[in-house]
Amino acid sequence: MGIIDTQGLTKRYGQVTALEGLDLSIGEGVTGLVGANGAGKSTLIKILLGLIAATQGTAQVLGHDIRAEGQRIRSVVGYMPEHDCLPPDVRAIDFVVHMARMSGLPPTAARERAADVLRHVGLAEERYRLMGGYSTGMKQRAKLAQALAHDPQLVFLDEPTNGLDPAARDDMLALVSKIGRDFGISVLVTSHLLGELERVSDHVVVLDGGHLLRSSATTEFTSDTGLLLIEVLGEGDAQTAMGERLAAQGIPCRPRGPLIEINAPGRTDLHDLVRDTAVDVGVGLVRLAADHRRIEDVFREEAGHGAAH
Amino acid sequence: MALPTEAPRPGGVIHDIGYRPYTGPRLDTDAAARSLFVTGLLNAYGIGRSGRAKGLPMTLLALMVVPAAIMVAVMVTLRLTEPLLNYGTYPVTLMLIIVIFVAAQAPVLFSRDLRSGAISLYLARPLSSTAYALVRWASLFVAILLFIALPVIVLYVGALTAEADIAEQSRDFFAAVVGIVLLSAVLATLSGLVASHTRRRGLAVGVTIIALLVSTGVVTAVQAITAEAGNETAGLLAGLFSPFSLVDGVQVELLGGQSSFQVPPDTTGWGLLYLAVSLALVAGGLWLLVRYYRKQAGR
């Protein structure tokens, strides 16, 4: 049994279907939950927390049924919501202590753990400041700290990188990865940015309009496509010259942006051939790399057909 | 002799001990509820919040207690054997300060979590939304109770030290305290309902102050007019529409206290009606609060 299992999970709001017959099995480690805005990511998390009731279907979180054992689930799970959830007139340390106590930790343990998790998320000195004065990045860290305060077995992180600048985004993703690998806490992390989760998650679940589009290991998404990408630099139209010469040698290739895509799987001498050809044509070979798929490509291919948006 | 495997380094060394899982005990929801209650009670007086948040409640508390302290001082100096002000009428005399405290501090417990979004963190924890609403109410109730009862306790202790009749003073005091408990419950319910539904602090403060002051003013006016016209029943019915006259009525008729209003209930039947309306108000208000917070879970 996995960390999270759902069977035919469905949620309807009147005419609107937020989730439709979702069958999932999510294991340990970091799982990315990907989908466009409104795909049903937050709804799924709220159902798993027992905050809203499913219209149909069942689900188990850490082996506990969401209908019968919501309280048990909420005591061993951490939740970082997408929206603001920090009172501005309280210090981060006081707030995290309070939240740890709300999860059932005794007073002394709550204080120790609050200081610990705030240090882990990178709010060491700032923890004595009122949270109203925090930047977006610091707020996201404080939100993460309260989700970890009671040492949960699983955390739901809803859009943790929302509103962050690129550097803070990288920090947050590194932190998410650390929680899953070093802290030993399973993570379900959502994002509407498809690309960023492939860096941190072991497994990716793609939702589209409430339907399960795909659920598989990240490595499957980002598998080798068998194509080779090269980029050349030189005088004049180096790309065309290089492409024509390769084609003349019977190598199937076509331009892709500034790159040349070579589709010749199985040819062992391909790298040497490309190098020699570049020397012959008199261009500089600046890139020679296997082409990997990206989650975004999968999403575009599979969602592109059915979805009408 | 065995050499130490690791020589102690001068000045010590800070180890990065990494993440430590928690293996200690986990308490039940009762402990969480108690913690929420205490935190809420302290927050109502600004403790555990920003320095600015302490200003208003502490100032109001001082304004509330200082007159009682002065009266006690006068009493002791002039060797009076009766307090200058009856215990039961003290809250009505200082009604304005009580109303400001209730209106300003109810949003701390009932609007703040909704506005900041922290409610979703509470609801994602073991405590149920029903328990959350009831504990929040209990915090506000006790905060108001302490606020109103403290000066009355000061008066009582002062009366005892001034060698007043202990039996008589104690009877009056306990009657007043029961009335104050009921008044606090009614005020906590009404202001909690307003604060949770308005969310915006300024709006909640305004609505609560206007509702409490205007209703009491209207009751006083209606009772004056109906007394003039000799229609006592209309005056007694009007008394049901302000928390202050309502609880005053219970205190006067059922507990033998002194009234601050023109037309207090004069039969046990009216007293019981006043009591029933007070209790129904609290019960109904709590039910609405619980229902409201249960809906918040789905948001």
Side-chain angles (χ1 to χ4, degrees), chain A residues 46 51-52 71 74-75 79 81 83-86 89-90 95 98-99 101-104 106 109 113 116 120 130 146 150-151 183 185, chain B residues 16-22 25-27 29 32 35-36 39 48-50 112 116-118 120-126 297-299:
Chain A
K46 282 179 186 161
L51 295 181
I52 51 179
Q71 199 179 69
R74 289 195 292 274
S75 65
Y79 173 46
H83 52 74
D84 276 347
C85 58
L86 305 172
D89 57 353
V90 179
F95 186 67
H98 176 55
M99 280 299 150
R101 299 221 51 203
M102 285 295 97
S103 291
R113 280 208 55 90
D116 253 16
H120 280 297
L130 299 179
Q146 66 77 29
H150 53 295
D151 189 26
F183 296 8
I185 299 171
Chain B
D16 182 10
I17 41 183
Y19 184 78
R20 289 182 298 175
Y22 177 71
R26 286 174 193 267
L27 310 176
T29 48
S35 171
L36 181 64
T39 308
R49 295 167 58 212
S50 60
R112 212 163 59 106
S116 70
S120 55
L121 302 182
Y122 284 107
L123 297 182
R125 286 180 155 74
R299 289 170 70 92

Side-chain angles (χ1 to χ4, degrees), chain B residues 41-92:
Chain B
L41 180 58
L42 294 175
N43 282 352
Y45 282 95
I47 302 164
R49 295 167 58 212
S50 60
R52 231 177 37 179
K54 295 177 186 67
L56 184 68
M58 291 303 183
T59 309
L60 290 175
L61 186 64
L63 285 178
M64 194 72 188
V65 177
V66 164
I70 292 173
M71 283 181 212
V72 168
V74 170
M75 224 180 122
V76 173
T77 320
L78 300 180
R79 297 182 182 281
L80 302 176
T81 51
E82 280 282 305
L84 293 173
L85 202 59
N86 184 278
Y87 303 124
T89 50
Y90 194 92
V92 182

Side-chain angles (χ1 to χ4, degrees), chain A residues 2-309:
Chain A
I3 298 285
I4 300 167
D5 295 284
T6 73
Q7 299 89 30
L9 205 61
T10 300
K11 178 68 189 176
R12 289 194 193 88
Y13 295 99
Q15 295 290 309
V16 184
T17 302
L19 288 177
E20 180 70 53
L22 207 60
D23 293 309
L24 270 180
S25 183
I26 293 173
E28 290 183 3
V30 181
T31 303
L33 183 58
V34 184
N37 291 328
K41 306 184 296 278
S42 297
T43 305
L44 175 60
I45 289 181
K46 282 179 186 161
I47 291 177
L48 294 176
L49 278 169
L51 295 181
I52 51 179
T55 313
Q56 269 167 34
T58 54
Q60 299 80 41
V61 176
L62 300 161
H64 303 298
D65 183 75
I66 54 163
R67 281 176 207 272
E69 297 171 287
Q71 199 179 69
R72 280 295 302 278
I73 293 174
R74 289 195 292 274
S75 65
V76 289
V77 164
Y79 173 46
M80 172 180 174
E82 178 183 1
H83 52 74
D84 276 347
C85 58
L86 305 172
D89 57 353
V90 179
R91 302 186 306 169
I93 181 75
D94 295 336
F95 186 67
V96 177
V97 169
H98 176 55
M99 280 299 150
R101 299 221 51 203
M102 285 295 97
S103 291
L105 261 57
T108 319
R111 270 192 295 276
E112 276 174 18
R113 280 208 55 90
D116 253 16
V117 292
L118 280 164
R119 183 172 56 81
H120 280 297
V121 301
L123 290 176
E125 298 306 317
E126 300 89 339
R127 68 179 188 266
Y128 297 112
R129 281 169 46 191
L130 299 179
M131 294 189 289
Y134 276 12
S135 67
T136 309
M138 288 156 75
K139 280 183 183 160
Q140 292 295 80
R141 287 163 189 267
K143 279 162 66 177
L144 182 59
Q146 66 77 29
L148 297 172
H150 53 295
D151 189 26
Q153 296 170 36
L154 166 70
V155 282
F156 294 122
L157 309 179
D158 203 354
E159 303 270 0
T161 58
N162 225 2
L164 299 181
D165 61 46
R169 185 177 292 264
D170 284 347
D171 287 351
M172 180 55 78
L173 289 173
L175 212 50
V176 170
S177 175
K178 203 162 114 184
I179 292 166
R181 305 215 166 102
D182 301 350
F183 296 8
I185 299 171
S186 292
V187 180
L188 183 69
V189 52
T190 77
S191 178
H192 63 280
L193 296 173
L194 310 170
E196 66 181 26
L197 288 182
E198 67 190 26
R199 285 159 47 194
V200 295
S201 45
D202 309 316
H203 195 95
V204 172
V205 174
V206 185
L207 287 185
D208 183 52
H211 294 264
L212 176 64
L213 204 61
R214 191 160 164 178
S215 168
S216 44
T218 311
T219 47
E220 265 177 61
F221 279 98
T222 57
S223 58
D224 200 329
T225 54
L227 302 177
L228 192 67
L229 292 176
I230 65 169
E231 184 177 356
V232 290
L233 281 180
E235 287 174 16
D237 194 351
Q239 189 191 13
T240 312
M242 180 73 181
E244 280 169 0
R245 185 68 69 90
L246 283 170
Q249 297 182 51
I251 307 291
C253 62
R254 63 189 177 115
R256 188 207 283 182
L259 309 175
I260 301 170
E261 178 189 299
I262 298 174
N263 186 8
R267 281 198 63 157
T268 47
D269 61 336
L270 197 58
H271 287 69
D272 291 346
L273 190 74
V274 169
R275 180 199 61 207
D276 296 343
T277 311
V279 172
D280 288 348
V281 181
V283 295
L285 186 61
V286 293
R287 176 168 159 160
L288 176 69
D291 181 29
H292 289 282
R293 288 154 68 86
R294 302 178 56 204
I295 297 177
E296 228 166 317
D297 303 332
V298 178
F299 190 76
R300 206 175 288 127
E301 284 163 21
E302 299 186 17
H305 309 302
H309 47 247

